[in-house]
Amino acid sequence: MAAPEINWDSLAVCFCRLDIMKFYAGGAGLFSGVTVLLYPVSVVKTRMQVASKDTAERSASSVVKGLLKKDGIRGLYKGFATVLTGTIPARIVFLTFLETTKEASFKMVKPFKLSETSQAAIANGIAGMLSAVVSQVVYTPIDVISQKLMVQGYSGHAQYSGGLDVARKLIRSEGFRGLYRGFTLSVITYSPSSAVWWATYGSSQRFLWRFLEDDVKSEEATPSLAKIVLVQAGGGLIAGATASCITTPLDTIKTRLQVTGHGKKISVKQVVKDLIREDGWKGVYRGFCPRLISTSAWGTSMVLAYEYLKRLCVKKDEEAAG
């Protein structure tokens, strides 16, 4: 038993396709809503990762208290406008490559006669990795600008009047390369993270469906919507936790590299040395708890919205032909 998967080009299940334009428009709204809810966790995580040894506010609770005391609720949404504007095209690019690459990846692994769980893990992992690489071309400048806004005035970091101000100062001091600071490390961070997330999500779904098989009396029975949502949410939580455990050190190093002051040259090696000198090896796991919460909550919310959106945007062959 498994829930029918809806793909862009596949007619193998339910003879259905997606209304792509409706998918993009609905996705912009749904994912923006999820971003509103979870953005404060990203701000807290980022501040924890860049805090120096002498910074008073280094724990999650102290960072939150400091932001609320100084700026109120607005403090938890530093850089939000930049992220909201920039991540919509980035997500469109990501989801487009994810769906098209996933379909091709399933066809590629099919001849190897692997188990359904293994096929799902490999195909989803390949699709997630390649989609992350491509989307970083759009996302990295947004990441750099938003993170500088998140930490402005914190632990000695500069103040800005907004996203455009950050971009102007970066370009003036470093050229357009400044907007892509840490691009290679971003690819190295997000590619395995996305690969692990989607591979775990795809395989854990199959595992959970097999676990629930005994509840279905007929092989032809269609799973209830509640059961589909439960399995997808479970897969999202497992995927988020797994990806966080594996890739948090890379994310911490990348964040520190990207928020370094204008014109300052710092290597990955130096970032790692500074983290270890300040906190020992646990320094590379700074912000782990907020990132675990963010990745798990964001992943679960995103995938539920994503799968719901695909069901919402399905059109039958007759409608598509018309």
Side-chain angles (χ1 to χ4, degrees), residues 29-101:
L30 280 172
F31 295 135
S32 295
V34 174
T35 303
V36 170
L37 294 175
L38 297 176
Y39 188 79
V41 182
S42 296
V43 174
V44 173
K45 182 229 25 150
T46 301
R47 289 199 160 211
M48 289 177 67
Q49 288 176 329
V50 304
S52 65
K53 189 175 182 180
D54 299 324
T55 303
E57 299 167 359
R58 298 183 66 189
S59 67
S61 59
S62 63
V63 169
V64 172
K65 286 178 183 177
L67 283 167
L68 292 175
K69 183 178 180 180
K70 184 178 179 181
D71 299 309
I73 295 296
R74 287 188 311 166
L76 296 173
Y77 284 88
K78 288 178 179 285
F80 179 72
T82 300
V83 168
L84 190 62
T85 303
T87 53
I88 289 175
R91 285 186 191 121
I92 288 174
V93 171
F94 181 88
L95 292 176
T96 300
F97 272 82
L98 178 73
E99 286 295 334
T100 53
T101 311

Side-chain angles (χ1 to χ4, degrees), residues 186-253:
S186 290
V187 171
I188 293 172
T189 300
Y190 289 118
S191 296
S193 178
S194 185
V196 169
W197 199 99
W198 286 100
T200 306
Y201 174 68
S203 57
S204 61
Q205 269 201 103
R206 268 69 177 184
F207 175 79
L208 290 171
W209 280 124
R210 283 209 308 269
F211 181 76
L212 295 172
E213 266 183 341
D214 293 338
D215 295 339
V216 181
K217 296 179 180 179
S218 169
E219 292 182 0
E220 297 181 358
T222 302
S224 66
L225 179 60
K227 190 167 287 186
I228 292 174
V229 170
L230 177 64
V231 170
Q232 289 171 347
L237 284 170
I238 295 169
T242 304
S244 294
C245 290
I246 294 174
T247 61
T248 290
L250 288 172
D251 185 64
T252 302
I253 296 165

